[in-house]
Amino acid sequence: MIAFLPRRVRAALALAVLAVLLAAASPAAAFDEQTVLECAFRRALSMVTCKPPEEFQFMGLREGVYVYNVHFGSKFTEFYIQMDGDLAIISSQAWHGRRASATIIRDFPNGCVDLSLEPAPCSPLKTARCCGK
């Protein structure tokens, strides 16, 4: 049936079908996952330490571990977040072996990362969600 259509119509129809297929198969917009994770980790640290998130300074990655520095107790202290699949493990030498953990939930279509964890009663934040562009 399509063979009886003029060549121009067949070409236009083929381009329209290709455009629809490409639009349907296009992946979600990309976002800088590391930057979004750094933000979500800062919020998670705030939730477990009861400090404002802006007080946590991201120091960098050391062998795959996110390192943050904050004035905690009477001195500056490092907090570490290590990822194990979809789990973020939070620790610090100041905690004397105590750890916290959070489930990492990636929302790729919206460019967001959520960390699922229970905040301390004194926490200034109740969610650890950050979104990129």
Side-chain angles (χ1 to χ4, degrees):
M1 182 166 173
I2 293 178
F4 296 112
L5 295 174
R7 179 177 270 173
R8 286 184 184 176
V9 173
R10 286 189 309 226
L13 184 60
L15 284 175
V17 169
L18 181 62
V20 167
L21 290 174
L22 288 175
S26 65
F31 66 98
D32 185 352
E33 187 174 353
Q34 182 171 333
T35 301
V36 176
L37 279 171
E38 289 169 18
C39 169
F41 289 160
R42 184 177 285 117
R43 293 179 64 85
L45 286 165
S46 173
M47 291 171 65
V48 297
T49 62
C50 300
K51 298 190 83 49
E54 56 273 2
E55 288 188 18
F56 289 90
Q57 297 300 312
F58 178 63
M59 303 305 290
L61 281 166
R62 290 188 202 151
E63 298 178 17
V65 177
Y66 289 75
V67 180
Y68 291 83
N69 194 356
V70 68
H71 196 267
F72 187 78
S74 61
K75 61 183 178 181
F76 282 96
T77 304
E78 287 186 343
F79 282 85
Y80 311 102
I81 301 180
Q82 183 173 357
M83 291 176 30
D84 183 10
D86 287 336
L87 190 65
I89 302 163
I90 304 168
S91 63
S92 175
Q93 291 178 351
W95 283 357
H96 305 291
R98 191 184 78 132
R99 295 174 186 229
S101 63
T103 303
I104 302 169
I105 303 163
R106 292 172 177 87
D107 179 3
F108 288 109
N110 294 312
C112 301
V113 171
D114 289 285
L115 295 180
S116 175
L117 72 155
E118 195 66 35
C122 57
S123 172
L125 301 176
K126 301 302 177 205
T127 63
R129 178 179 178 86
C130 287
C131 299
K133 296 181 182 192

